[in-house]
Amino acid sequence: MKKSLLLFVALACTVNIFAQNDVNLGIIPAPLNIVKKEGRFVLDKTVAIISNEPENAKTADLLNAFIVSRGGFALREAKSVPTGQKAIILTSKNAGSLAKEGYTIQISANQIKLSGTGAGLFYATQSLMQMMPEKKQDKIILPAVVINDEPRFKYRGTHLDVARHFFPVSFVKKYIDLLATYKLNTFHWHLTDDQGWRIEIKKYPKLTSVGGSRNGTIVGNYPGTGGTDNEIYKGYYTQEEIKQVVAYAASKYINVVPEIEMPGHASAAIAAYPELSCFPERDTFINEKTPWSGSRKGKQVQQTWGVFDDVFVPTENTFKFLQDVIDEVLPLFPSKYIHIGGDECPKTYWKESAFCQQFIKDNNLKDEHGLQSYFIQRMEKYINEKGRSIIGWDEILEGGLAPNATVMSWRGEAGGIEAAKQSHDVIMTPGSAGLYFDHKQSSSADEPLTIGGLSSYAKVYAYDPVPKELSADQQKYILGVQANIWTEYIETPAKAEFMLLPRLLSLSEIAWTKLSNKDFKNFSEERAPLHLARLDKTATNYWVPTAIGQPDKPQSGENFTIELKAPILGAKIFYTLDNYRPSENATEYTLPIKINVPKGQKKILKTIVIAPSGRRSVVVETVYTNGAVEVKTR
């Protein structure tokens, strides 16, 4: 069995409990409608699997492979339901009335029927696998139920920056597996930036030979107080590898949106081809206090993070270069959308450049913001002529929005609101709402090095991508929602997984589930613990949530009762009241904790969660004083 299929199977495997009483049957994201029936379906080796439409063969194989792993037996394939036998049927017949990506699951004593077309049937299979418990006496027991489900948003995405740190094809495929498990349908692949160009362009080989390599990387938080590592860092994807990833994603019903940054974040391209700069003869500006490896002369791929003044010059040569790049990108990506960046474009070099100033006058542009708008609109026209559409970060609003552009709103919601009011499609991805998954997940000193910010999985879950400021007519322009993983401080696949999970689970629910069906208590206390327990049994890394539960109100002014729940099925909570750090050597939480705090005194409760695998949460410190509670770390 291939590794990718093994991951799917591992993620779907459940622990030895059946969440039959859970209103959502353990499914993430929560379905639109569930009706429970009397009875149950007993899945064993006598059951047949029926999938007569060739286009559904891979989905049927996926389900059968999971059953092999979960039950220890494979289902016999059949063309029709054998007389007197039970069957699982996967079908697209009569599914035309379902919403796009919608599905139904009907489970009775004798039959499981999954209905949907393409992605819908695939998602039905994901939901069914999430419902299945471990076998008992060579049987898997499922409740009789009818599920009708469809997504709230048609765009459900997650982004990965491979420019700052490069990730191998094997991990990109694993990342795609994780997205598909939770019904996300878009992978935004950030392929170029100041610190590296990661996609092969055959007409311009220096983009990868020069632009794909930097002489070092800063150590520690920006601006690099730990110096640099003095190691050459390089990597790129060949066009064949790109095709492989795109095809793999398509098999999981995920669209891959490539991002080629312009006109800013262009240092790597300019290092390869200096004539793309306003000032080709200028050395890349490097502050004398900036840690640096190797030469400081000429055009350089950036070794540190931030925003840099050297951006594309709007010459015919530059536009020809970018059009040539797009001409090689388009055949690799069937996506309707091509992301052209457009963010954080400094105007300093444009202001200093006599050519740019004359260009502004000759084209009757108002200023440098107008020049940015001209740049984006010109590239949009070219991409539109090729039958595609552009997405840009919300800075593309500056100076006037390109006619057919979709706006990705990251600097809060304001850009998205403005674009929707202008009748432009919008994808909401504000960092302020917790959708920057490179931000830390708690305020604990235990968190690894991050860019900063705070994005807990509870904060992500609480976000509604449809701004209340929009009218009902304007709300239709909100295509969906996306989370972003920028990798300045994410050097390895293990850390990328750590930053993605469990926030991915929250993202999936805000992207798929109808607003009225969201229930954070059910999510965090019933379903997420099951899914995290499955992950805990795999090689996939994740952030271990802290203990669930809040202290009650003080009793008689000085007495507290604290009830806690483990955030992962099978995990243990340990605590101390002596101000020492808790570990498995501390007291294990088994009953509510009683604390008495006399007036003028305080007591400190410290807790840690340890998963069955040994993975640990950060330490939460809660200070109790007479009549008050302060959670210092969460």
Side-chain angles (χ1 to χ4, degrees):
M1 193 182 294
K2 294 182 178 180
K3 288 183 179 179
S4 58
L5 189 54
L6 282 169
L7 175 65
F8 256 111
V9 168
L11 289 173
C13 290
T14 60
V15 290
N16 219 345
I17 187 172
F18 181 37
Q20 187 169 353
N21 293 325
D22 174 14
V23 67
N24 290 315
L25 299 173
I27 298 171
I28 295 177
L32 179 65
N33 182 261
I34 296 176
V35 178
K36 294 180 182 178
K37 304 289 185 180
E38 292 296 324
R40 62 183 190 168
F41 181 91
V42 179
L43 176 58
D44 58 27
K45 61 185 178 182
T46 69
V47 174
I49 187 168
I50 300 167
S51 178
N52 292 328
E53 293 113 347
E55 64 271 21
N56 298 331
K58 289 184 178 179
T59 299
D61 289 344
L62 173 67
L63 178 58
N64 213 351
F66 166 74
I67 292 170
V68 170
S69 174
R70 182 92 316 310
F73 52 84
L75 302 187
R76 180 172 54 85
E77 296 180 11
K79 294 293 183 184
S80 60
V81 180
T83 303
Q85 288 194 16
K86 294 175 292 184
I88 298 178
I89 301 171
L90 293 84
T91 182
S92 295
K93 290 182 179 179
N94 303 318
S97 61
L98 296 174
K100 188 175 181 180
E101 300 181 292
Y103 67 87
T104 63
I105 299 175
Q106 298 168 291
I107 303 178
S108 64
N110 296 314
Q111 187 179 98
I112 296 177
K113 185 177 181 180
L114 310 181
S115 299
T117 59
L121 193 64
F122 179 81
Y123 296 144
T125 300
Q126 294 299 316
S127 291
L128 181 64
M129 293 193 301
Q130 290 184 15
M131 289 170 59
M132 289 188 185
E134 289 186 353
K135 66 178 179 180
K136 291 184 178 180
Q137 298 178 339
D138 295 323
K139 297 178 177 63
I140 297 172
I141 311 298
L142 290 159
V145 68
V146 175
I147 299 175
N148 290 286
D149 200 8
E150 62 185 54
R152 181 185 180 197
F153 295 109
K154 63 182 180 180
Y155 186 108
R156 307 180 301 280
T158 302
H159 152 290
L160 181 65
D161 166 20
V162 297
R164 277 55 176 257
H165 283 99
F166 179 76
F167 296 88
V169 167
S170 58
F171 175 72
V172 175
K173 288 182 176 180
K174 183 178 182 181
Y175 192 87
I176 287 167
D177 281 340
L178 288 164
L179 306 192
T181 297
Y182 293 103
K183 302 184 177 73
L184 298 176
N185 64 1
T186 305
F187 171 48
H188 174 178
W189 207 357
H190 185 82
L191 292 163
T192 72
D193 216 298
D194 294 300
Q195 296 79 17
W197 184 286
R198 307 297 179 202
I199 178 173
E200 178 189 27
I201 302 297
K202 294 180 179 179
K203 189 168 184 176
Y204 299 98
K206 289 184 180 179
L207 285 173
T208 47
S209 65
V210 176
S213 178
R214 61 178 182 259
N215 291 326
T217 305
I218 63 166
V219 176
N221 277 114
Y222 176 84
T225 51
T228 68
D229 58 14
N230 294 306
E231 295 182 3
I232 294 176
Y233 190 92
K234 60 183 178 180
Y236 69 93
Y237 304 102
T238 66
Q239 292 193 5
E240 286 306 310
E241 288 174 324
I242 295 282
K243 290 176 184 177
Q244 185 185 131
V245 169
V246 171
Y248 185 80
S251 74
K252 303 292 188 288
Y253 298 94
I254 288 179
N255 179 49
V256 182
V257 175
E259 181 175 1
I260 307 297
E261 275 274 12
M262 61 183 81
H265 286 291
S267 297
I270 289 170
Y273 296 97
E275 63 270 22
L276 300 173
S277 170
C278 295
F279 302 101
E281 304 306 319
R282 274 190 197 178
D283 296 337
T284 294
F285 174 76
I286 305 164
N287 189 291
E288 60 182 15
K289 296 181 180 180
T290 298
W292 197 261
S293 297
S295 175
R296 292 174 179 247
K297 297 296 183 180
K299 297 297 187 183
Q300 299 288 330
V301 179
Q302 295 292 345
Q303 300 176 25
T304 183
W305 323 125
V307 177
F308 306 96
D309 288 338
D310 213 349
V311 301
F312 286 134
V313 62
T315 61
E316 289 304 310
N317 178 67
T318 297
F319 287 117
K320 177 65 165 58
F321 163 81
L322 289 171
Q323 289 169 3
D324 289 342
V325 168
I326 293 300
D327 285 346
E328 290 196 35
V329 167
L330 294 182
L332 302 175
F333 297 91
S335 170
K336 170 187 174 183
Y337 295 113
I338 304 297
H339 203 301
I340 49 76
D343 62 312
E344 298 178 327
C345 179
K347 310 301 188 294
T348 301
Y349 275 29
W350 286 353
K351 289 179 179 179
E352 294 176 2
S353 165
F355 170 83
C356 290
Q357 291 304 306
Q358 188 62 45
F359 190 94
I360 289 171
K361 291 179 182 178
D362 291 346
N363 288 276
N364 298 314
L365 305 177
K366 184 178 180 180
D367 53 18
E368 290 76 23
H369 292 293
L371 177 55
Q372 175 166 328
S373 180
Y374 172 92
F375 198 111
I376 297 300
Q377 290 189 35
R378 180 158 172 176
M379 289 308 301
E380 181 195 41
K381 182 179 179 182
Y382 186 79
I383 291 170
N384 287 169
E385 288 172 353
K386 301 290 184 176
R388 310 295 183 90
S389 300
I390 69 164
I391 297 176
W393 302 105
D394 56 51
E395 285 95 329
I396 68 172
L397 287 157
E398 298 170 1
L401 193 55
N404 304 305
T406 295
V407 172
M408 195 165 271
S409 187
W410 73 279
R411 298 178 301 173
E413 293 186 322
I417 292 168
E418 181 181 346
K421 288 181 176 180
Q422 294 181 31
S423 301
H424 280 262
D425 288 339
V426 174
I427 298 157
M428 300 303 294
T429 180
S432 57
L435 295 180
Y436 269 47
F437 286 3
D438 52 322
H439 291 180
K440 61 185 178 179
Q441 299 185 69
S442 78
S443 58
S444 171
D446 293 342
E447 291 289 339
L449 175 63
T450 66
I451 199 168
L454 180 61
S455 168
S456 67
Y457 76 118
K459 182 176 182 178
V460 175
Y461 193 93
Y463 180 58
D464 178 6
V466 179
K468 293 180 174 56
E469 293 87 339
L470 297 179
S471 67
D473 186 60
Q474 293 164 345
Q475 289 176 7
K476 69 183 181 183
Y477 292 106
I478 306 299
L479 297 185
V481 61
Q482 176 176 292
N484 302 317
I485 294 186
W486 300 100
T487 62
E488 289 94 335
Y489 303 104
I490 302 175
E491 307 91 340
T492 65
K495 190 170 181 181
E497 292 169 3
F498 178 88
M499 302 303 284
L500 180 67
L501 297 161
R503 292 184 284 199
L504 176 67
L505 278 63
S506 296
L507 174 68
S508 76
E509 196 130 312
I510 67 172
W512 179 280
T513 302
K514 185 179 178 182
L515 196 59
S516 60
N517 283 18
K518 286 177 59 184
D519 181 344
F520 184 68
K521 180 177 174 64
N522 173 267
F523 172 85
S524 62
E525 297 186 16
E526 302 295 335
R527 289 177 291 132
L530 290 170
H531 286 253
L532 293 175
R534 299 167 198 163
L535 281 169
D536 196 58
K537 290 184 173 183
T538 73
T540 303
N541 198 19
Y542 68 96
W543 183 85
V544 177
T546 55
I548 299 167
Q550 295 290 336
D552 69 357
K553 296 178 181 179
Q555 301 163 358
S556 304
E558 60 186 31
N559 296 304
F560 299 84
T561 300
I562 302 100
E563 295 187 16
L564 303 173
K565 290 184 179 180
I568 304 167
L569 197 66
K572 294 181 179 180
I573 303 170
F574 295 91
Y575 70 94
T576 61
L577 289 167
D578 56 12
N579 207 24
Y580 280 86
R581 187 179 183 86
S583 69
E584 58 267 53
N585 298 315
T587 304
E588 181 179 352
Y589 175 87
T590 56
L591 295 170
I593 303 168
K594 305 283 188 179
I595 297 180
N596 177 267
V597 187
K599 190 171 184 179
Q601 298 184 23
K602 68 178 181 180
K603 286 193 176 179
I604 300 174
L605 172 69
K606 295 184 179 181
T607 62
I608 191 170
V609 173
I610 302 180
S613 67
R615 295 181 175 96
R616 296 162 183 254
S617 74
V618 300
V619 172
V620 174
E621 179 179 310
T622 310
V623 179
Y624 296 86
T625 57
N626 190 264
V629 178
E630 179 188 1
V631 179
K632 298 189 70 175
T633 304
R634 185 169 294 283

